[in-house]
Amino acid sequence: MDRVVPQAVPLGQMEVFQALQRLHMTVFSQSVSPCGKFLAAGNNYGQIAIFSLSAALSSEAKEESKKPVVTFQAHDGPVYSMVSTDRQLVSAGDGEVKAWLWAEILKKGSKELWRCQPPYRTSLEVPEINSLLLVPKENSLILAGGDCQLHTMDLETGAFTRALRGHTDYIHCLALRERSPEVLSGDLRTAKEVQTIEVYKHEECSRPHNGRWIGCLATDSDWMVCGGGPALTLWHLRSSTPTTIFPMRAPQKHVTFYQDLILSAGQGPCVNQWQLSGELKAQVPGSSPGLLSLSLNQQPAAPECKVLTAAGNSCRVDVFTNLGYRAFSLSF
């Protein structure tokens, strides 16, 4: 039998392939480095790109400054979520979580530090993990996604310490109440459900044509803002009552509190700025047709890199140095 000899891909074909990849790229996740000077972005091809915010924001920045300083293959499938500890970059894909040392990444090394898989109910189950949440006080990581459970992992030992049940469908997002050990519907100390808010059952929030799913949420003490199929809504958690319905027709995929504003993004190219009263203060257009991820870099170690970045259905990550306009875009 003849031996098959691998052939190198001609340079022209490789350039066409890379151009097609960029054309069909989706950036699902972002995470800022502990020093605040770098941004990691994960895409639908399983790649993580590291951008130098300090170089891109420099007065001497060139077009090359807006390209990745390093790109590596992190997962076989999409990189749905990422978080950073004081030393590690942690990413999640289909069924597993991986970690790298930031110090090694910045030396252009991509050797993973560890990988783990939550204890799923069957060995054939490979649900996507599309939400990661750090709990610094416990030095733990919470994972959630397609298996309808929240898994708590001890970051020191790598052991999964508990599973929080209560959801009956896919979990899209997580948020931590800073002043109490609660995450969504689970209490971190007792691992028991303490509160359930079924948003779609409230007539003023319900939008049956969009579905019941909750695609984004954020908390600030006794307040929560969430949206998705139902309308983007501000809730008072102690009373479990909606206080503000934001007049946004398109489903929102990411939301965050920022100073006295709420920032949201989803279907459409704009980052929306809301007053807590429900008034739309501004809609700032970006370069992507739809947005999936917002990241606020508020690391005190790098005040010169204090920016908002937005990513979604393109190969670009938009950078906003001022909330009023897009300054430039980083690109894979």
Side-chain angles (χ1 to χ4, degrees):
M1 186 171 69
D2 294 335
R3 185 165 61 93
V4 177
V5 179
Q7 299 294 316
V9 178
L11 182 60
Q13 288 184 25
M14 179 59 71
E15 290 174 347
V16 170
F17 173 74
Q18 291 173 342
L20 287 172
Q21 261 200 338
R22 288 193 295 271
L23 183 64
H24 297 286
M25 189 174 291
T26 296
V27 178
F28 283 106
S29 54
Q30 304 177 65
S31 184
V32 176
S33 66
C35 67
K37 296 182 179 181
F38 296 89
L39 177 73
N43 67 23
N44 56 319
Y45 300 115
Q47 300 167 333
I48 293 178
I50 308 297
F51 298 93
S52 173
L53 291 174
S54 55
L57 291 164
S58 167
S59 59
E60 299 177 356
K62 302 176 181 178
E63 280 307 305
E64 195 62 27
S65 306
K66 299 165 189 175
K67 295 290 185 180
V69 294
V70 61
T71 302
F72 60 94
Q73 192 70 35
H75 296 266
D76 293 333
V79 184
Y80 292 113
S81 184
M82 290 191 293
V83 293
S84 288
T85 70
D86 57 356
R87 297 177 62 241
Q88 300 174 18
L89 173 65
V90 183
S91 67
D94 288 320
E96 67 179 359
V97 179
K98 298 182 181 182
W100 293 263
L101 286 172
W102 267 108
E104 293 302 315
I105 293 173
L106 298 180
K107 293 176 185 175
K108 301 192 177 181
S110 58
K111 182 180 179 182
E112 67 186 56
L113 182 64
W114 54 260
R115 69 168 68 190
C116 66
Q117 186 178 74
Y120 296 122
R121 285 167 287 201
T122 72
S123 59
L124 299 177
E125 192 175 22
V126 189
E128 58 188 67
I129 302 169
N130 76 331
S131 194
L132 297 174
L133 179 67
L134 286 173
V135 186
K137 290 181 180 179
E138 292 197 352
N139 194 28
S140 62
L141 177 70
I142 298 179
L143 304 72
D147 71 338
C148 311
Q149 299 182 69
L150 282 70
H151 299 275
T152 304
M153 175 187 170
D154 186 315
L155 283 172
E156 185 172 345
T157 65
F160 284 92
T161 57
R162 56 194 164 214
L164 308 181
R165 299 176 178 87
H167 288 273
T168 58
D169 208 340
Y170 191 99
I171 303 170
H172 292 272
C173 46
L174 298 171
L176 180 70
R177 292 183 71 181
E178 295 289 349
R179 296 183 185 178
S180 62
E182 293 176 6
V183 54
L184 286 182
S185 60
D187 182 281
L188 296 185
R189 281 190 289 226
T190 64
K192 292 181 180 178
E193 184 176 315
V194 296
Q195 186 178 14
T196 300
I197 297 175
E198 295 180 288
V199 179
Y200 71 94
K201 289 187 176 180
H202 292 256
E203 185 177 353
E204 61 269 49
C205 306
S206 178
R207 299 190 298 188
H209 59 287
N210 285 337
R212 301 176 176 182
W213 57 279
I214 298 298
C216 61
L217 72 92
T219 61
D220 184 7
S221 187
D222 289 331
W223 298 92
M224 174 183 77
V225 60
C226 67
L232 188 69
T233 308
L234 182 66
W235 293 77
H236 184 246
L237 288 174
R238 288 190 182 182
S239 60
S240 297
T241 56
T243 61
T244 305
I245 312 295
F246 299 95
M248 171 60 65
R249 291 186 177 183
Q252 299 298 278
K253 302 293 183 66
H254 197 114
V255 67
T256 187
F257 287 93
Y258 177 66
Q259 297 179 352
D260 59 347
L261 296 173
I262 289 174
L263 308 180
S264 76
Q267 289 184 6
C270 294
V271 176
N272 308 298
Q273 302 177 24
W274 302 96
Q275 304 279 9
L276 298 181
S277 62
E279 178 185 350
L280 182 62
K281 181 180 179 182
Q283 283 188 304
V284 185
S287 64
S288 299
L291 295 174
L292 300 172
S293 170
L294 299 177
S295 177
L296 279 164
N297 183 5
Q298 301 186 80
Q299 290 283 6
E304 73 280 7
C305 295
K306 185 178 179 179
V307 293
L308 169 72
T309 52
N313 301 120
S314 81
C315 63
R316 295 176 294 278
V317 179
D318 293 332
V319 178
F320 301 81
T321 53
N322 178 305
L323 288 184
Y325 66 95
R326 176 179 67 91
F328 57 86
S329 297
L330 306 169
S331 181
F332 272 79

